């Protein structure tokens, strides 16, 4: 098979790495692959950069339209596109892809769209937290609100096109089934990680290597922007840090972003690492901790949750989108935005003995290996690619 993948980024970010991981796994199985991205960070010769329109963001703001002005049309002239048996689109927003090009692809090729967020069924917001705060998008900044037009443009394509959809959680599948895209065929393939890389290292040894204390219970938080990442629940984490500031037996470790305000930085119960890209190092931090505090306000299914559980780390989170599907009964799922219930979850995890944490951690690991391994995700994509390519009823 010859598979062409389209996404925003190749090898950086959390969920942004999933398309590349799938492509690389398919390549290792002997298939021909190529990838087009808006932002390329790897040296992979099979990954090609779509040239960006430097005026894109200015034009999209002036005309209140994020569906136009990109230069993705160049893909149609490439040998990779012309030879492809199937196109696997992932995130096709963020300023590098024209909506009209997706429509054309569905007419010329077999297309699978792996949907990671809510953008395909909204006027532009990508998650429930952002959609709650969505504001009018006015043409020229003061004329009509263009959001209905943007949504109708997407709806027109869905009504006149045929393609397959892959979703990575039951939650997002349910959202799509209630939306303007519900006429397309959908497949559930769980979001997955490399369980060989993210594994359970011995806790005290990991702490020694990382320079972390062995005599404290460590609460881990991870987000791209660290303790200033509101979507990931940083405000709730900072509240917990202050609530436990007098408890010298607890250390909060925050991964990501830059250092936060003085009130947090000066707290001896907080250790901020900054952003960590090295996955092997991340696995050591997961293994060194007692649990992951991840009060996300809008993740479909956060990769950090899967990585942590694969390293034997239980989770405390809000009842948010697809996250409870991964946690199941292997952590604490608090009522959404309920700080009191979240505190109960933190207290519960802190009360676990070393043996209880080890048993729970092993169950977390077993769950991820069984349902969310990278190899399982790659195998299921290979089967789906073959099925769609050989389906005479798809375009």
């Amino acid at each position: 098979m010859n598979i062409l993948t389209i996404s925003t980024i190749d090898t950086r970010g959390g969920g942004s790495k999933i398309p590349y991981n799938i492509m690389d796994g398919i390549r290792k199985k002997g298939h021909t692959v190529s990838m087009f991205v808006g932002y390329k960070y790897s040296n992979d010769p099979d990954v090609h950069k779509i040239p960006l329109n430097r005026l894109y963001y200015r034009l999209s703001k002036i005309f209140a339209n994020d569906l136009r002005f990109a230069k993705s049309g160049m893909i149609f002239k490439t040998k990779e596109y012309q030879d492809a048996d199937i196109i696997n689109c992932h995130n096709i927003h963020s300023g590098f892809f024209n909506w009209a090009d997706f429509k054309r692809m569905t007419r010329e090729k077999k297309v699978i769209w792996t949907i990671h967020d809510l953008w395909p069924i909204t006027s532009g917001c990508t998650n429930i937290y952002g959609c709650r705060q969505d504001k009018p998008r006015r043409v020229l900044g003061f004329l009509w609100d263009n959001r209905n037009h943007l949504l109708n443009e997407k709806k027109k394509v869905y009504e006149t096109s045929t393609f397959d959809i892959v979703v990575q959680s039951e939650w997002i599948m349910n959202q799509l089934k209630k939306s303007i895209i519900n006429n397309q065929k959908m497949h559930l393939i769980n979001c997955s990680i490399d369980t060989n890389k993210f594994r359970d290292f011995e806790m005290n040894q990991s702490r020694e290597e990382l320079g972390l204390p062995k005599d404290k219970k460590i609460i881990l938080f991870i987000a791209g922007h660290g303790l200033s990442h509101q979507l990931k629940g940083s405000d709730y984490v900072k509240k917990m840090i202050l609530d436990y500031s007098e408890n010298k037996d607890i250390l909060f470790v925050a991964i990501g972003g830059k250092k936060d305000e003085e009130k947090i930085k000066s707290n001896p119960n907080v250790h901020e690492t900054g952003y960590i890209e090295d996955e092997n190092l991340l696995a050591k931090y997961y293994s060194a901790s007692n649990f992951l505090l991840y009060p996300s306000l809008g993740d479909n299914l956060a990769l950090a949750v899967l990585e942590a559980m694969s390293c034997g780390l239980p989770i405390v989170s809000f009842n948010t989108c697809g996250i409870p599907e991964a946690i199941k009964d292997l952590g604490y799922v608090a009522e959404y935005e309920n700080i009191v219930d979240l505190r109960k979850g933190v207290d519960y995890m802190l009360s676990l003995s070393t043996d209880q944490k080890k048993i729970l951690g092993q169950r977390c690991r077993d769950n991820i290996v069984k349902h969310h391994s990278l190899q399982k995700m790659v195998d299921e994509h290979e089967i789906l690619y073959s099925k769609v390519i050989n389906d005479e009823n798809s375009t």
Side-chain angles (χ1 to χ4, degrees):
M1 293 184 291
N2 188 325
I3 302 100
L4 186 154
T5 299
I6 300 173
S7 195
T8 311
I9 300 174
D10 51 356
T11 56
R12 286 196 183 178
S16 302
K17 295 180 291 189
I18 292 174
Y20 181 85
N21 289 341
I22 296 170
M23 182 203 76
D24 188 46
I26 291 293
R27 175 169 54 192
K28 289 174 180 176
K29 292 169 79 72
H31 300 288
T32 302
V33 299
S34 58
M35 186 175 192
F36 284 84
V37 297
Y39 306 89
K40 179 180 178 179
Y41 294 99
S42 73
N43 295 317
D44 192 324
D46 289 324
V47 178
H48 310 277
K49 188 180 185 304
I50 298 171
L52 300 179
N53 181 355
R54 288 186 294 179
L55 296 177
Y56 171 85
Y57 285 106
R58 183 178 298 178
L59 291 170
S60 63
K61 185 174 183 180
I62 291 172
F63 295 102
N65 192 327
D66 66 343
L67 303 180
R68 301 169 54 195
F69 311 119
K71 296 183 177 182
S72 51
M74 55 80 63
I75 295 175
F76 298 112
K77 301 177 182 178
T78 66
K79 186 176 188 300
E80 288 80 7
Y81 177 81
Q82 293 165 6
D83 291 348
D85 297 313
I86 191 165
I87 313 295
N88 189 181
C89 295
H90 288 263
N91 280 343
I92 52 175
H93 50 82
S94 301
F96 76 100
F97 196 85
N98 273 336
W99 184 238
D101 294 336
F102 177 77
K103 179 180 179 179
R104 176 177 169 181
M105 287 178 183
T106 65
R107 282 154 174 71
E108 297 180 351
K109 296 284 185 176
K110 304 287 183 72
V111 173
I112 293 175
W113 191 3
T114 302
I115 295 180
H116 298 263
D117 57 34
L118 298 181
W119 183 86
I121 60 173
T122 70
S123 60
C125 58
T126 60
N127 58 75
I128 60 171
Y129 177 72
C131 291
R132 278 191 326 197
Q133 304 178 49
D134 198 29
K135 297 178 181 179
R137 300 179 185 189
R138 299 192 180 279
V139 176
L140 299 182
F142 66 93
L143 296 177
W144 63 88
D145 184 355
N146 210 34
R147 287 180 295 178
N148 283 339
H149 169 73
L150 297 175
L151 195 58
N152 284 332
E153 286 296 298
K154 295 176 183 179
K155 185 178 180 180
K156 289 177 186 176
V157 172
Y158 303 151
E159 291 175 341
T160 58
S161 303
T162 300
F163 52 92
D164 284 70
I165 293 173
V166 168
V167 296
Q168 298 185 318
S169 74
E170 292 179 5
W171 179 83
I172 202 164
M173 178 176 280
N174 290 333
Q175 301 306 304
L176 299 185
K177 285 181 176 179
K178 297 183 292 185
S179 76
I180 57 175
I181 205 171
N182 63 5
N183 62 317
Q184 304 297 334
K185 189 183 298 182
M186 301 182 194
H187 314 266
L188 174 63
I189 298 179
N190 285 331
C191 181
S192 301
I193 59 164
D194 187 342
T195 54
N196 294 319
K197 185 172 291 184
F198 290 100
R199 55 191 178 88
D200 188 5
F201 294 94
E202 202 279 322
M203 177 184 284
N204 283 332
Q205 182 179 339
S206 297
R207 291 187 178 192
E208 185 173 342
E209 292 178 17
L210 298 171
L212 297 173
K214 297 180 182 179
D215 60 344
K216 294 177 182 281
K217 292 204 171 184
I218 294 179
I219 301 174
L220 183 67
F221 172 68
I222 180 169
H225 302 294
L227 286 170
S228 61
H229 205 147
Q230 291 184 324
L231 172 63
K232 307 298 184 180
S234 60
D235 289 346
Y236 291 90
V237 175
K238 287 187 281 190
K239 179 67 167 60
M240 290 296 166
I241 290 173
L242 295 176
D243 285 352
Y244 288 94
S245 60
E246 300 301 318
N247 190 331
K248 306 307 178 184
D249 296 323
I250 294 173
L251 177 68
F252 285 85
V253 174
I255 297 176
K258 300 178 180 179
K259 305 297 183 183
D260 206 47
E261 69 265 14
E262 292 301 323
K263 189 172 184 180
I264 295 296
K265 286 195 298 182
S266 62
N267 191 324
N269 284 22
V270 180
H271 174 69
E272 295 183 80
T273 69
Y275 182 76
I276 296 176
E277 187 173 353
D278 186 334
E279 292 181 337
N280 294 306
L281 184 58
L282 277 177
K284 290 295 180 71
Y285 271 101
Y286 288 134
S287 298
S289 304
N290 289 84
F291 65 93
L292 176 68
L293 178 58
Y294 197 81
S296 169
L297 300 177
D299 275 301
N300 170 31
L301 182 52
L303 222 59
V305 169
L306 304 181
E307 292 170 353
M309 293 179 70
S310 186
C311 293
L313 197 62
I315 315 294
V316 175
S317 182
F318 284 135
N319 188 357
T320 310
C321 308
I323 291 178
E325 295 175 35
I327 297 176
K328 303 184 189 312
D329 61 344
L330 306 176
Y332 191 97
V333 178
E335 181 182 342
Y336 187 62
E337 294 189 310
N338 186 327
I339 188 70
V340 175
D341 199 16
L342 189 69
R343 171 71 182 256
K344 289 181 181 178
V346 171
D347 287 339
Y348 167 71
M349 286 297 173
L350 291 173
S351 72
L352 295 181
S353 67
T354 301
D355 288 342
Q356 288 174 320
K357 189 269 178 185
K358 188 172 183 179
I359 292 171
L360 182 57
Q362 185 59 54
R363 292 178 62 206
C364 289
R365 166 77 179 170
D366 292 343
N367 175 59
I368 299 303
V369 170
K370 181 177 180 180
H371 299 290
H372 298 277
S373 72
L374 176 59
Q375 191 58 55
K376 183 175 185 291
M377 179 173 67
V378 170
D379 290 344
E380 290 181 357
H381 273 83
E382 182 184 36
I383 292 170
L384 181 60
Y385 290 154
S386 178
K387 180 180 178 182
V388 173
I389 289 171
N390 293 306
D391 184 358
E392 296 179 356
N393 294 320
S394 61
T395 303

